[in-house]
Amino acid sequence: METLLNIVIYLPLVGIPLIVLSKNETTQKWIALLVTSVTFIASLPLMFGFDVANSGTAQFLTEGGRLIESLDIKYLVGLDGLSLLLFMLTTFMGPIVILSSWNSVTKHLTGYWSMLLLLQTASLGVFSSLDLMVFYVFFELSLIPMYFLIGIWGGAGRIQATIKFFIYTLVGSLIMLVGLIYLGYDAGAAMGAGTTFTTDWRFLSSDMYTIGLVEQTYLFLAFALAFCIKVPLFPFHTWLPYAHTEAPTAGSVVLAAIMLKMGTYGLIRVCLPIFPNAFMEFAPWMAALAVIGIIYGALVAMVQKDVKKLVAYSSVSHLGFVVLGIFALNTVAVQGAIIQMINHGLSTGALFLIVGMIYDRRHTRMIKDFGGIAKQIPIFTVMFMIATFASIGLPGLNGFVGEFLILNGSFFSELYNNKIFAILAATGVILAAVYMLWMFQRVMFGPITNEENKKLIDLNGREIGLLIPLVIFMFWIGIRPVDFTKYSEAQVNELIEASEAKSMAVLEEARNEDLPNWTAKFYDVRESESQLASTK
Amino acid sequence: MDYLGDIQAFLPGVITAIAGLVVIVIESLKKESPLNFYVTILSLASALIISILSLGGEMQTAFSGMLVHGGAVAFGNMVILAGALFCVFISEDYLRGINHYYGETYALILFATTGMLALAGANDLITLFVGLETMSICLYVMAGLIKDEKSGAESALKYFLLGAFSTGFLLYGMALIYGATGTTNIPEIGAAASTELLFLAGTALLLVGFLFKVSAVPFHMWTPDVYQGTPTSLTAYMATASKAGTFVAFILILSRALPVMEGLNWQLVLSVIAILTMVFGNIIALVQDNVKRMLAYSSVAHAGYALVGLAAGTFEGYNAVLYYLFAYTIMNVGAFGVIAYYERNKGLDFTQVQNLAGLGFKEPLMGVALSIFLFSLAGIPPLVGFVGKYYVFAAAINADMVGLAIIGVLASAASVYYYLRVMVYLYFREEHQPISLFTPTLMYKGTIVVLALLTIYFGVEPVLPAEGLMDILSGFGGYGGATALIP
């Protein structure tokens, strides 16, 4: 199984030389499809062989040698409850993404398929690496193929969009790199035994390693900045609408379904267990930003004239829910956040695919250019409707499960200790219904105003085929979410307990230290003293 | 005197020097003989193999304490010789292509390399000066190789005048230090170091001389003009090998002659210079339309990153700088190599970034290779440039210079813009007019491919040189004056 995991991660890379060597365009397509399909099939045993009860411990571990004896940077990949579903989502989306651009991309195909495959490996690497340095390398590597995907195969404003995307995310992750190096030395000193530097997540997240409050604050901010830009959390979201609108369909799908999740995944994977005190103290602030993002994203989505831009802004809104759930820090909300990441990948991925399909036919995405096309293309209408409802969060479909758990969890969150977050966020659900249904109605129903729309052809077999799997999972998660939530449940429980215990230990230590005033105040060090006294 | 042992210690330099003489003889017998190329390649390759074999040994003295070899010096020699070797591979096609092929160029490269090897292995200020001058005078000639064009003449004259000026500073500094300590032997200077005015003034002048040679701000003014006017393949040589030689000498001086002490805080001075260099180099590079000028300013910025490692003043920092030189040499020779290839095509001035529009798809191998080199220069993992930057910034952070590291990464984030810009033209824009690129020779392609593969390999698997570096560290440790630097 360990070998299988590595095979799954690097199999897409094997496809690249094959594609470069074969000059025939049809062969290239088939190689790309075959490679991603085999990757997906090969990843299935990982899911079935996953020990659900022990999801808290990383499984299928491959551990490489240290870079240098004292420098504990090593190749370390494995899957646990946090990463398994996202890993599977990535392999699952692979063939769908390839199929989605079967005929719509016509130029520089060798490069196109190669970039998609490189992106696949980079994403799989992000979700499976357990050494933060390796994580960082994959995290950055994923920028390169996306840069070219938007820049070469994107729309008219692609160049600015892709540079904005690249530099914006890079600034965040470079700050994270400084934080990571600092953290590595700090943890290396704590590890002892001749080690001066370590980025092994298992050690960093364990109770053997704690960080002082002052350092935690800075490190949390450095890491959270990088992840929040990636998510993107309001107010760091400005790169997203451009990148999404200009990206080719496949680029948008991968960006929405997988790359944005790297941000939210990082928040749970890194920020929570390593900087628990800062995580908890900053939680209300992050939740406030998340709620602003939910409402702001929805309001801006409402006034969009371009369907793709509307879906892009709806991403800002939906990912606000995920962040809200993560920082609520109870099992219900965090579980909701994890399943909502998958849901967003499925439903927004499907929406981008559908927008791409209609764009291929009419070469426009403006809402006003459509209207009344429901009768012309019934299959398309059904698919679009399901994806729309999933995105809104209609009960019975996947979106409902995630949003319900998140709202429920954050309503009772001890960290927020304020129901206003959940209440405000709930209005986001209503707004989502407004902008999605309004858009749907304007695009699909009413009289046909544009003559060209009368000539529209319905979905072909390939397009139906690539949407069907997405639809199946939308229903499956909607009806039996436990089939998916079970993978992360044990780990989420452990993680929250461990983080709380760790934060208490840090506070205990901090009482005996001479802390700067702001830190003592911010973390309520003195108050915890009185609490301890009262419990005694 | 152990003559054989001495020669063996400086064997790479001896080989290149003899090969240089042989090239001159061949050239005088038969103009533009292809034999020159083979002699050069063979000598550089054998010298490179010798220095690779001597990696990991202890640092030892030779020539009665005038030279050191082994340890960090062997690593430096490897970088210098690899840079020279790859540049020669590129030069053969390029110089013939631009009709400026002179057999003597190879002699110049070989003599300059000898100078660099002496410079990197200097254990005495006299050796250091002789090495530096041997190198510099050859470089001045190379800068003026395109003598029928204004830019070539400007380049050579500017380099010569400013170079001579900076040599003056360096020499003056050496004289003052000799006056203060009574010796020119580097470890002995370290032992006799004091904070009297004479020594401080000498140190300051010495630093100025070195900072000029590595083109640190504010002593960088010559760099863009010289780089632009020099034939591109030789610019690559100038930007990589000569910098490697100078930086190795700089490291040996700092770590062994100038202990950090009260009243002699060169760490602070270097930190400030490093910040200026990174920030200015990157900002000015942002607005360059000429790719060679852009790479010139980028090389200023890269000198700044290397200075971060020096400013850290720890063994870790020095190791990081050594690795950085290695990384920088591979990727920069590659980048200049591809630019040299584009430049040779007829029709437009392909050093202008606008004229590269759409060319990435024309000769895919060259386009992809250039992208790899540029991403590596920008410090994107998993490429060797990232590993280099990582070591440097890690050293700074571990030396409690987090602020310096943050400024460094922000500057390098800004730098990404101008590297991306080249790729924007290469891939994202349509060509202005139908251009057909010529097919590069197999040797040229091979060189670029090898460089690209090295860029990826040492990014993915940074283990091997890192282990080598640890051995260098132990070699360092066996050496007197340096231990005072460990905090």
Side-chain angles (χ1 to χ4, degrees):
Chain A
M1 290 297 248
E2 296 78 29
T3 333
L4 188 67
L5 176 62
N6 282 304
I7 290 175
V8 170
I9 297 173
Y10 297 106
L11 196 60
L13 277 191
V14 178
I16 295 177
L18 296 179
I19 285 171
V20 173
L21 289 176
S22 71
K23 297 287 173 206
N24 185 320
E25 290 188 352
T26 321
T27 326
Q28 289 181 337
K29 278 197 257 199
W30 281 101
I31 293 174
L33 181 65
L34 192 73
V35 167
T36 44
S37 307
V38 172
T39 308
F40 173 58
I41 293 166
S43 69
L44 286 175
L46 296 174
M47 192 169 183
F48 298 135
F50 189 79
D51 183 358
V52 178
N54 286 323
S55 70
T57 36
Q59 299 170 28
F60 323 123
L61 268 183
T62 309
E63 190 168 349
R66 287 181 173 199
L67 194 58
I68 304 173
E69 200 40 51
S70 63
L71 218 59
D72 184 18
I73 301 175
K74 55 185 179 286
Y75 179 73
L76 182 66
V77 293
L79 293 175
D80 59 15
L82 292 181
S83 52
L84 180 79
L85 287 178
L86 285 166
F87 190 86
M88 294 306 298
L89 176 72
T90 311
T91 59
F92 171 71
M93 293 304 283
I96 293 176
V97 165
I98 301 285
L99 271 177
S100 76
S101 29
W102 203 245
N103 295 323
S104 54
V105 175
T106 49
K107 57 171 187 179
H108 310 310
L109 284 167
T110 313
Y112 184 76
W113 303 121
S114 308
M115 286 301 131
L116 280 180
L117 292 178
L118 180 60
L119 189 52
Q120 179 86 342
T121 288
S123 314
L124 292 174
V126 169
F127 292 130
S128 58
S129 46
L130 286 170
D131 185 290
L132 292 188
M133 213 45 167
V134 180
F135 171 84
Y136 179 83
V137 168
F138 281 118
F139 193 79
E140 292 281 81
L141 176 65
S142 67
L143 292 182
I144 297 177
M146 191 46 90
Y147 170 71
F148 285 114
L149 279 176
I150 300 176
I152 300 178
W153 297 278
R158 60 187 191 275
I159 294 175
Q160 277 185 324
T162 194
I163 288 187
K164 193 168 184 180
F165 153 76
F166 196 96
I167 293 189
Y168 222 117
T169 20
L170 191 74
V171 170
S173 41
L174 281 174
I175 303 275
M176 172 166 88
L177 178 65
V178 176
L180 182 57
I181 296 174
Y182 187 94
L183 176 69
Y185 279 114
D186 197 54
M191 194 184 226
T195 308
T196 54
F197 186 99
T198 181
T199 45
D200 188 330
W201 180 80
R202 294 168 304 177
F203 176 74
L204 292 173
S205 64
S206 72
D207 55 0
M208 287 181 289
Y209 173 60
T210 54
I211 316 173
L213 291 176
V214 183
E215 288 90 345
Q216 261 195 43
T217 317
Y218 291 125
L219 290 174
F220 173 82
L221 289 176
F223 278 84
L225 178 70
F227 295 137
C228 289
I229 289 176
K230 196 90 176 180
V231 170
L233 190 68
F234 179 89
F236 307 109
H237 64 283
T238 51
W239 62 269
L240 181 82
Y242 289 98
H244 263 319
T245 336
E246 300 303 337
T249 302
S252 295
V253 175
V254 179
L255 194 59
I258 294 153
M259 284 184 76
L260 302 189
K261 307 305 176 313
M262 293 175 187
T264 42
Y265 172 73
L267 287 174
I268 308 187
R269 167 72 71 197
V270 181
C271 291
L272 170 60
I274 304 180
F275 323 117
N277 299 71
F279 186 95
M280 289 169 193
E281 286 305 323
F282 278 103
W285 302 91
M286 300 295 280
L289 289 182
V291 169
I292 294 174
I294 292 171
I295 295 171
Y296 170 86
L299 289 177
V300 180
M302 210 181 291
V303 295
Q304 292 306 315
K305 299 186 175 90
D306 180 337
V307 185
K308 204 172 181 186
K309 226 170 179 169
L310 185 147
V311 180
Y313 274 106
S314 83
S315 279
V316 177
S317 186
H318 284 152
L319 285 158
F321 278 104
V322 178
V323 175
L324 183 72
I326 291 172
F327 281 92
L329 202 63
N330 51 39
T331 313
V332 177
V334 175
Q335 279 284 66
I338 290 174
I339 199 71
Q340 185 67 1
M341 288 191 222
I342 309 297
N343 293 339
H344 177 260
L346 295 172
S347 54
T348 308
L351 282 173
F352 276 121
L353 289 170
I354 286 165
V355 174
M357 288 168 190
I358 195 89
Y359 182 79
D360 285 345
R361 288 169 170 68
R362 287 276 283 106
H363 296 283
T364 175
R365 295 184 303 247
M366 292 298 154
I367 295 176
K368 66 172 167 41
D369 291 337
F370 298 101
I373 58 176
K375 277 181 202 146
Q376 302 288 325
I377 42 176
I379 307 176
F380 177 88
T381 311
V382 172
M383 295 293 181
F384 195 7
M385 199 170 64
I386 297 172
T388 305
F389 284 147
S391 176
I392 296 171
L394 195 76
L397 284 162
N398 58 351
F400 174 74
V401 177
E403 280 173 4
F404 177 76
L405 290 175
I406 290 170
L407 289 176
N408 190 352
S410 42
F411 198 74
F412 296 108
S413 167
E414 284 169 23
L415 278 188
Y416 298 162
N417 199 14
N418 198 337
K419 304 208 178 338
I420 193 74
F421 291 117
I423 293 166
L424 284 176
T427 61
V429 184
I430 302 166
L431 288 172
V434 174
Y435 66 76
M436 288 306 288
L437 290 178
W438 191 34
M439 179 270 288
F440 190 77
Q441 179 223 329
R442 283 181 293 166
V443 171
M444 307 307 292
F445 300 133
I448 294 186
T449 47
N450 198 327
E451 280 302 307
E452 279 184 57
N453 287 336
K454 289 191 174 159
K455 283 176 275 176
L456 275 177
I457 321 160
D458 210 344
L459 299 185
N460 58 28
R462 171 181 63 85
E463 289 167 327
I464 298 174
L466 70 93
L467 285 176
I468 287 289
L470 290 170
V471 170
I472 291 176
F473 279 100
M474 287 178 201
F475 278 108
W476 191 346
I477 299 179
I479 294 165
R480 270 182 65 96
V482 70
D483 287 349
F484 300 90
T485 49
K486 69 176 182 193
Y487 287 103
S488 49
E489 191 167 358
Q491 176 158 32
V492 167
N493 280 326
E494 283 171 36
L495 203 61
I496 292 174
E497 266 171 44
S499 305
E500 274 165 0
K502 200 167 160 179
S503 74
M504 289 314 289
V506 174
L507 275 181
E508 190 101 347
E509 245 172 72
R511 281 192 300 131
N512 309 323
E513 278 168 28
D514 199 17
L515 285 172
N517 235 341
W518 62 268
T519 323
K521 225 169 179 177
F522 186 70
Y523 289 97
D524 283 339
V525 177
R526 290 194 202 91
E527 196 183 321
S528 69
E529 265 171 59
S530 58
Q531 274 173 356
L532 276 170
S534 67
T535 48
K536 272 174 194 168
Chain B
M1 289 283 277
D2 175 16
Y3 291 109
L4 266 181
D6 282 349
I7 287 175
Q8 206 182 353
F10 195 57
L11 197 54
V14 173
I15 293 175
T16 50
I18 292 174
L21 294 172
V22 171
V23 168
I24 289 184
V25 173
I26 296 173
E27 181 65 17
S28 63
L29 294 176
K30 186 172 179 292
K31 278 262 166 247
E32 299 184 13
S33 157
L35 205 57
N36 286 333
F37 172 68
Y38 296 115
V39 170
T40 313
I41 289 296
L42 210 65
S43 59
L44 286 175
S46 52
L48 178 62
I49 290 170
I50 290 169
S51 53
I52 289 177
L53 289 179
S54 59
L55 271 182
E58 291 249 315
M59 218 153 81
Q60 287 163 341
T61 54
F63 288 101
S64 326
M66 295 295 275
L67 270 176
V68 277
H69 63 101
V73 178
F75 189 83
N77 288 354
M78 183 191 83
V79 175
I80 293 166
L81 289 163
L85 185 64
F86 284 120
C87 289
V88 170
F89 270 119
I90 290 167
S91 296
E92 176 71 8
D93 282 354
Y94 173 78
L95 293 178
R96 284 187 195 275
I98 60 163
N99 295 322
H100 280 282
Y101 184 85
Y102 313 103
E104 289 90 346
T105 313
Y106 289 133
L108 285 173
I109 290 182
L110 287 166
F111 289 138
T113 308
T114 313
M116 291 169 194
L117 295 177
L119 174 63
N123 196 37
D124 194 289
L125 293 181
I126 305 294
T127 326
L128 192 146
F129 185 73
V130 171
L132 190 74
E133 279 304 277
T134 313
M135 170 185 96
S136 298
I137 290 171
C138 296
L139 293 184
Y140 300 151
V141 182
M142 286 184 207
L145 213 55
I146 311 182
K147 55 183 180 290
D148 42 5
E149 271 177 41
K150 241 187 187 166
S151 62
E154 183 196 349
S155 152
L157 196 63
K158 207 165 200 172
Y159 197 18
F160 174 65
L161 287 179
L162 288 174
F165 198 56
S166 81
T167 310
F169 274 103
L170 197 70
L171 207 53
Y172 197 15
M174 289 178 184
L176 292 185
I177 287 177
Y178 177 70
T181 59
T183 175
T184 53
N185 184 290
I186 289 172
E188 284 174 23
I189 292 172
S194 60
T195 50
E196 61 173 309
L197 188 62
L198 207 54
F199 189 78
L200 291 183
T203 309
L205 290 170
L206 198 67
L207 288 183
V208 169
F210 269 112
L211 291 172
F212 178 90
K213 290 289 174 195
V214 301
S215 62
V217 175
F219 312 105
H220 66 288
M221 305 296 183
W222 57 275
T223 319
D225 292 330
V226 172
Y227 280 22
Q228 196 182 358
T230 311
T232 310
S233 65
L234 300 180
T235 313
Y237 178 66
M238 223 179 243
T240 56
S242 87
K243 225 167 227 183
T246 318
F247 260 113
V248 174
F250 206 175
I251 291 173
L252 294 191
I253 287 273
L254 288 179
S255 62
R256 295 157 67 228
L258 301 174
V260 177
M261 50 184 164
E262 191 88 9
L264 180 62
N265 194 350
W266 50 261
Q267 270 185 297
L268 185 68
V269 177
L270 287 185
S271 310
V272 173
I273 299 272
I275 290 172
L276 286 178
T277 309
M278 291 186 292
V279 172
F280 278 91
N282 280 324
I283 287 177
I284 304 173
L286 287 176
V287 293
Q288 301 302 321
D289 280 341
N290 185 298
V291 184
K292 275 172 85 175
R293 277 186 96 81
M294 183 275 274
L295 283 176
Y297 279 111
S298 118
S299 98
V300 171
H302 281 275
Y305 303 135
L307 284 174
V308 170
L310 289 189
T314 53
F315 281 138
E316 204 188 356
Y318 298 136
N319 272 330
V321 176
L322 288 173
Y323 192 84
Y324 200 86
L325 295 171
F326 171 73
Y328 179 69
T329 299
I330 296 176
M331 58 198 180
N332 217 31
V333 172
F336 274 112
V338 181
I339 296 300
Y341 160 73
Y342 284 131
E343 192 188 338
R344 273 177 61 202
N345 286 283
K346 302 279 178 297
L348 290 166
D349 175 9
F350 287 106
T351 54
Q352 286 297 321
V353 70
Q354 288 86 352
N355 293 337
L356 292 175
L359 293 190
F361 295 109
K362 286 282 159 101
E363 189 67 39
L365 188 78
M366 289 295 178
V368 170
L370 184 56
S371 307
I372 292 174
F373 298 132
L374 291 176
F375 273 125
S376 178
L377 283 166
I380 308 289
L383 300 168
V384 72
F386 167 73
V387 182
K389 260 185 201 162
Y390 165 77
Y391 280 136
V392 169
F393 291 133
I397 290 170
N398 204 24
D400 275 337
M401 293 177 162
V402 182
L404 187 60
I406 289 178
I407 294 173
V409 296
L410 288 181
S412 88
S415 79
V416 172
Y417 178 78
Y418 57 79
Y419 295 122
L420 290 187
R421 189 156 168 255
V422 177
M423 284 178 267
V424 163
Y425 280 99
L426 272 184
Y427 285 106
F428 301 172
R429 293 202 193 265
E430 305 294 323
E431 52 195 315
H432 311 292
Q433 58 192 70
I435 297 163
S436 55
L437 297 176
F438 75 94
T439 315
T441 59
L442 200 63
M443 184 179 77
Y444 205 92
K445 267 188 190 170
T447 312
I448 298 295
V449 168
V450 167
L451 286 166
L453 289 180
L454 288 176
T455 305
I456 297 174
Y457 177 78
F458 287 113
V460 177
E461 192 71 57
V463 178
L464 284 176
E467 273 170 359
L469 283 179
M470 292 317 280
D471 290 337
I472 294 165
L473 198 148
S474 66
F476 246 170
Y479 222 83
T483 35
L485 279 176
I486 303 174

